Amino acid sequence: MKTSMHLFPIIELGSLRFDLSTVIAIVVTTIICMVLGVLATRKLSVANPTKMQNFMEWALEFMHSTVASTMPLEKAKKFVTFGLTLIMFIFVSNLLGLPFGIVFDAHEEVKLGNLVIISQELLDSKGGHAHVAFWKSPTADISVTAGLALLVFFVIHILGLTTNTKHYIKHYFQPFWIMFPLNIIETIAKPVTLALRLYANIFAGEVLISTILMLNWVGVPLLAVWQGFSIFVGAIQAFLFTVLTMVYIAQATVHEEHDH
Amino acid sequence: MELLAAAIVIGLGAIGAGFGNGMIVSKTVEGIARQPEAKSALQTTMFIGVGIVEVVPIIGVVLGFLIFFGQ
């Protein structure tokens, strides 16, 4: 039962630890997103659009209406491409860990040139041999989702400070100045929950896949059902991350004219 | 002992998620029944609400996995 969690190949450069499977998966995600973008915009035409162009236009329309539901229309245009980038990247990376996995058995130390990937002490603590996974969804790693959340955090606060300074600073002390600590906690909780929500959903899905795989042939229909549900969850989580980003941006940048 | 801890975390999280999601979806269904034209807007808000409510139970699930498999 205890062997369901794979080891991940972590290399240490200096004092930073890089997870090789995450790096590989992020590169693959980026390549897929770029290929999708290029394929959708080849032979652009108004009268005779290709299927990919139709699909991308639908996605753009959907994103525009989503952003417009959170902030007034003139401001919405600026954030549509940002939202589309976020939702494409997160959706593609959520789907990446579903079709297959690459797992090696390690009986001795694994090295890449001179870098030690799986050290002998780690192998000994697992009883002599371990399974090393070289492929997973990048968003199943807290560092990727925390990076996305940090990016969004900077976008929100820098935009709020530069375009809406007075109202942005005032909102920390509203409705009563005594609520300043609560507002600070809210400001910290927003990116933390963004990161943890995405990480926990995708990570739990992957652990359940590897648990179902332990049932061998009995688990095949269950695996099919669970993978279908995981596609749905991946889409919902990508949409949710983007919508919440747009809501937070709207909260920080829109100058509200009504009284509190 | 760790098995018990993991089971309690996941079980209580599931109760919270079940109650919360049930309330959200029931109100959404009521709203759609009252005004079918608003269906897509209500559905979008429902998904956003479910995502927000399920954060803490899902974090509990991950903690349960870590406790269970990290022995």
Side-chain angles (χ1 to χ4, degrees), chain A residues 1-2 4-5 196-197 200-201 236 239-240 243, chain B residues 44 47-48 51 55 58-59 62 65 68-69 71:
Chain A
M1 247 321 205
K2 308 292 180 291
S4 181
M5 293 268 275
L196 279 177
R197 182 186 298 120
N201 270 295
I236 293 271
F239 173 68
L240 199 61
V243 162
Chain B
T44 309
F47 281 125
I48 299 175
V55 176
I58 279 249
I59 294 177
V62 171
F65 281 144
F68 182 64
F69 287 119
Q71 312 175 32

Side-chain angles (χ1 to χ4, degrees), chain A residues 5 28 60 109 137 200 209 211 224 239 242 255:
Chain A
M5 293 268 275
V28 170
L60 210 64
E109 225 173 41
S137 292
I209 287 180
T211 309
F239 173 68
T242 315
H255 180 58

Side-chain angles (χ1 to χ4, degrees), chain A residues 9-260:
Chain A
I10 302 183
I11 58 178
E12 294 205 25
L13 295 176
S15 61
L16 293 175
R17 315 177 62 188
F18 292 97
D19 190 337
L20 273 184
S21 55
T22 310
V23 172
I24 296 175
I26 292 182
V27 170
V28 170
T29 309
T30 322
I31 293 179
I32 293 180
C33 286
M34 288 202 253
V35 164
L36 273 178
V38 166
L39 279 181
T41 52
R42 279 199 309 183
K43 300 189 205 155
L44 276 181
S45 97
V46 175
N48 213 6
T50 64
K51 282 195 271 208
M52 274 305 293
Q53 181 183 341
N54 254 332
F55 169 71
M56 200 51 91
E57 284 183 5
W58 169 82
L60 210 64
E61 273 286 333
F62 175 70
M63 208 56 238
H64 187 94
S65 73
T66 309
V67 176
S69 71
T70 61
M71 55 179 88
L73 265 177
E74 324 83 53
K75 299 199 179 233
K77 263 183 91 161
K78 292 187 286 184
F79 298 113
V80 171
T81 40
F82 179 49
L84 192 66
T85 311
L86 269 182
I87 200 173
M88 261 178 72
F89 181 80
I90 299 179
F91 184 49
V92 171
S93 48
N94 290 349
L95 291 182
L96 221 54
L98 291 180
F100 58 86
I102 304 179
V103 181
F104 290 109
D105 273 331
H107 299 283
E108 48 184 22
E109 225 173 41
V110 176
K111 293 172 102 132
L112 182 74
N114 255 341
L115 293 168
V116 178
I117 299 183
I118 308 286
S119 66
Q120 193 59 39
E121 303 96 50
L122 193 55
L123 271 181
D124 287 337
S125 73
K126 301 277 175 190
H129 79 277
H131 302 281
V132 185
F134 274 89
W135 179 266
K136 64 175 187 202
S137 292
T139 35
D141 193 345
I142 186 69
S143 33
V144 171
T145 57
L148 284 170
L150 210 61
L151 171 83
V152 158
F153 175 74
F154 281 132
V155 165
I156 293 172
H157 290 282
I158 292 181
L159 274 179
L161 271 176
T162 54
T163 64
N164 205 12
T165 320
K166 183 159 159 288
H167 176 79
Y168 169 79
I169 298 194
K170 246 180 61 162
H171 105 270
Y172 280 110
F173 300 97
Q174 282 171 340
F176 304 110
W177 67 268
I178 199 94
M179 290 181 67
F180 182 61
L182 285 178
N183 283 327
I184 292 287
I185 294 180
E186 179 192 24
T187 314
I188 298 180
K190 286 177 187 174
V192 168
T193 51
L194 273 182
L196 279 177
R197 182 186 298 120
L198 188 55
Y199 163 64
N201 270 295
I202 309 301
F203 179 66
E206 293 213 332
V207 171
L208 270 168
I209 287 180
S210 59
T211 309
I212 290 177
L213 279 178
M214 291 197 308
L215 291 174
N216 296 325
W217 61 272
V218 174
V220 168
L222 189 59
L223 188 65
V225 167
W226 181 248
Q227 279 183 330
F229 184 66
S230 281
I231 299 178
F232 174 64
V233 165
I236 293 271
Q237 290 305 316
F239 173 68
L240 199 61
F241 193 99
T242 315
V243 162
L244 282 177
T245 305
M246 292 305 151
V247 167
Y248 297 153
I249 291 181
Q251 279 177 349
T253 59
V254 173
H255 180 58
E256 294 158 24
E257 279 108 19
H258 61 264
D259 306 315
H260 281 284

